[in-house]
Amino acid sequence: MFSLRHRSGQAILLLLVAFALRSPFFGNPVIHSDEQFYLLVGDRLLHGAWPFVDIFDRKPVGLFLIFAGIRSVGGDGVLMYQLAATLVATATAFLVARIVSRLCSDDANPVASVGAALIYLVWIIVFDGAGGQSAIWGNALMAAAALLMLDTTRGHRHISLRGAGAMLLIGLAMQIKYTAMFEGIFFGLTLVWAAYREGRSIGRLAADAGLWIGAALFPTALAWIVYAAAGHGDAFVFANFLSIFGQQDDDTLNSNLLKLLGGVGMSLPLAWLAWRGRRAGSFALGWLAAAVIAILIMHTFELLYLLPLALPLSVAAGTGLSGPTVRTTMVRLAAVLVFGALAATVMTSIRIGRRGNARQIAQLVQMIGQQPRGCMFAYGSEPILYFLTRSCLPTPYIFRSHLGQTAESHGTGVDPVVEVARLLAARPGVIVVRAPKPSTNLATQALVLRAIATRYRLVGSVKIGGLPQSVYRLRTDAAR
C-alpha cells in the first residue's frame, strides 16, 4: 500500500513529481549551452577525443565521463541525458528527505522531510537546472556525503573510515564541479570537530585529517596521473587550474547586483524557513554558508550558479517546515511550493523564449545537413549542432565563448584571432553564425564576416530563441 511513512512510497512520489516537472523539457537540445557541450564532449570521448587536449574546457573530466557513460547506452543522446538527470535529481531529493529526517527526527511525521525533497525538485528548476547541468550530478554525491557524515558524527562509529568515505564522495563531486571543494572544507572541519569531541589525541586527529584530505583529493590526483601518463599533464593542469585566471568578467557591477538580488529574492521563502529551523538545522546552515562563500569567491551570480546552493538550502528549509500541527506544516509547504512553481514557470518561459526549442534547432540542422564536408564551424552558435550533424571539429575551442566572446580573449591559452584565422584558412564547408551580442569578440567576428563575404553563400536563417542564426556554405568556386 502506498504510504509516505514508507521510504518506497516517498521514492515513488518524488519520481512522479520529478518527471512531471522535467518532462516538458525532454527532447529539447537547447535547454542550456553548457549541457549541449557536455553531451558533445561525452560523445566524442567515446570516439577517442581527450577533454582539455582535443576539446578545450575547464570543467573536470568526471563530468564528461558521466555524459560518455550515458552515450554508451545508446538511444537519443539528448533524451537519454535528460532522463538520466531526472533519475539523479530524484535520488538527490530522496537523500534530502533522509538528511532532514536525521536532523529533525520526523520519521513519525514525514511531511517536513518529504517537503524538503519536493522543494529541492522545484528549486532546481527555478535555478536553471531543468536539464543536466553539472550541479545536478554533483549534488547527488554531496547529499550522499552529507548523509554519511551525519550518521558518522552523530554515532561516532568508525569515524575515520566512514569520514574517509564521505570525503571521497566529495572528491568525486569535485571531479564534476570544483567549487564542491568549499563545501568539502566545511564537511572536513565538521568531521575534525566530531573526532575532537570524541576525545582523540592530537596525533590521531592529524592522521584522520590527513586521511580525509587525501580521500577528497584522490579522484583529482588520479585524473591528473592518467593525463600525465598519456603525455597530457600540462594540458590538464592548464585547463583545470590555470586558465580560469585569464577569464574576464563581462558583467558590470550593476548587472551582477541585479543577478544577485534576483537569486536572493527567489530564495527568500526558503531562507525564512531555514532561519525558523536554525536550532535543528545548524549543520545545514553551516553547509549553506559554505556554498554561499563559494558563489561569492567565484563571483558568478547567474541563477545557474546557485544550483549547488539548492541542496543545502532545501535541507535547511526542511528543518523549519514543521509546525505545531501537521496542518500547519502542510500549509507552509504548500505556500512555498506555490511560490516556487510560479517562479519556475515564469523563468522557464523566459528561458525558452530566449534560447529556443527543438523545432527551431531541427530546422537549422536540416539546412546544415549531416557530416558537412570540410567540417562545420559554429561561430557563437549552439555546440549541440556538432553533435546533431555529426560534424568533425575544426578546432579544439568549440564552445561558443572560446573564440566568439571577449571574456575568453586571454582564457584559453591561444590567441582567438590567430586560431580563427587558422581554421578559416582551412575553409570549413559550413559556417553557422549567431547574431552578435554585446559580449561578442569584434576581432574574431570581423574575420568570420570577411570570410563569409568572399567565399560563402547564404543557405538560410532560423531564429533560435531570441536571436537569428544563419547557415553559410562554402561556394564551389571557392573550394580548393
Side-chain angles (χ1 to χ4, degrees), residues 113-253:
S113 57
V114 176
L118 294 173
I119 287 171
Y120 176 78
L121 290 174
V122 171
W123 251 263
I124 56 175
I125 304 291
V126 175
F127 290 162
D128 210 358
Q133 285 291 346
S134 58
I136 298 299
W137 319 94
N139 281 358
L141 292 167
M142 293 302 298
L147 186 60
L148 179 58
M149 202 190 68
L150 279 176
D151 287 345
T152 301
T153 55
R154 295 192 171 203
H156 299 286
R157 293 175 300 149
H158 310 293
I159 191 169
S160 298
L161 292 179
R162 289 166 69 93
M167 297 306 289
L168 179 60
L169 287 169
I170 290 167
L172 292 172
M174 287 169 55
Q175 269 304 297
I176 295 174
K177 193 171 181 68
Y178 279 121
T179 51
M181 172 186 69
F182 296 97
E183 297 164 72
I185 291 171
F186 168 71
F187 280 29
L189 292 174
T190 302
L191 283 169
V192 170
W193 176 246
Y196 172 77
R197 292 186 64 185
E198 194 183 55
R200 298 200 172 194
S201 65
I202 296 298
R204 183 70 183 278
L205 278 176
D208 284 340
L211 173 65
W212 297 332
I213 293 171
L217 295 180
F218 175 72
T220 299
L222 180 61
W224 189 353
I225 289 169
V226 170
Y227 268 80
H232 303 312
D234 290 344
F236 180 92
V237 171
F238 176 76
N240 284 265
F241 309 125
L242 302 179
S243 66
I244 191 171
F245 296 107
Q247 193 179 34
Q248 302 171 23
D249 186 1
D250 287 334
D251 290 323
T252 64
L253 177 62

Side-chain angles (χ1 to χ4, degrees), residues 120 127 135 139 142 177-187 260 267 282-316:
Y120 176 78
F127 290 162
N139 281 358
M142 293 302 298
K177 193 171 181 68
Y178 279 121
T179 51
M181 172 186 69
F182 296 97
E183 297 164 72
I185 291 171
F186 168 71
F187 280 29
L260 183 60
S267 305
S282 57
F283 166 77
L285 288 177
W287 182 8
L288 179 60
V292 170
I293 288 171
I295 293 169
L296 295 176
I297 289 176
M298 299 307 296
H299 203 253
T300 48
F301 304 120
E302 298 276 359
L303 284 179
L304 165 69
Y305 296 104
L306 300 188
L307 277 171
L309 200 67
L311 178 58
L313 190 57
S314 299
V315 171

Side-chain angles (χ1 to χ4, degrees), residues 277-365:
R278 59 190 180 278
R279 291 186 179 179
S282 57
F283 166 77
L285 288 177
W287 182 8
L288 179 60
V292 170
I293 288 171
I295 293 169
L296 295 176
I297 289 176
M298 299 307 296
H299 203 253
T300 48
F301 304 120
E302 298 276 359
L303 284 179
L304 165 69
Y305 296 104
L306 300 188
L307 277 171
L309 200 67
L311 178 58
L313 190 57
S314 299
V315 171
T319 63
L321 269 175
S322 293
T325 65
V326 174
R327 178 183 176 84
T328 304
T329 305
M330 293 288 288
V331 169
R332 286 176 182 166
L333 175 60
V336 170
L337 290 179
V338 167
F339 177 92
L342 289 173
T345 301
V346 171
M347 295 307 301
T348 294
S349 177
I350 293 172
R351 289 164 187 154
I352 292 178
R354 192 174 71 225
R355 298 172 186 168
N357 56 46
R359 178 183 57 80
Q360 295 168 343
I361 287 294
Q363 293 176 343
L364 200 60
V365 169

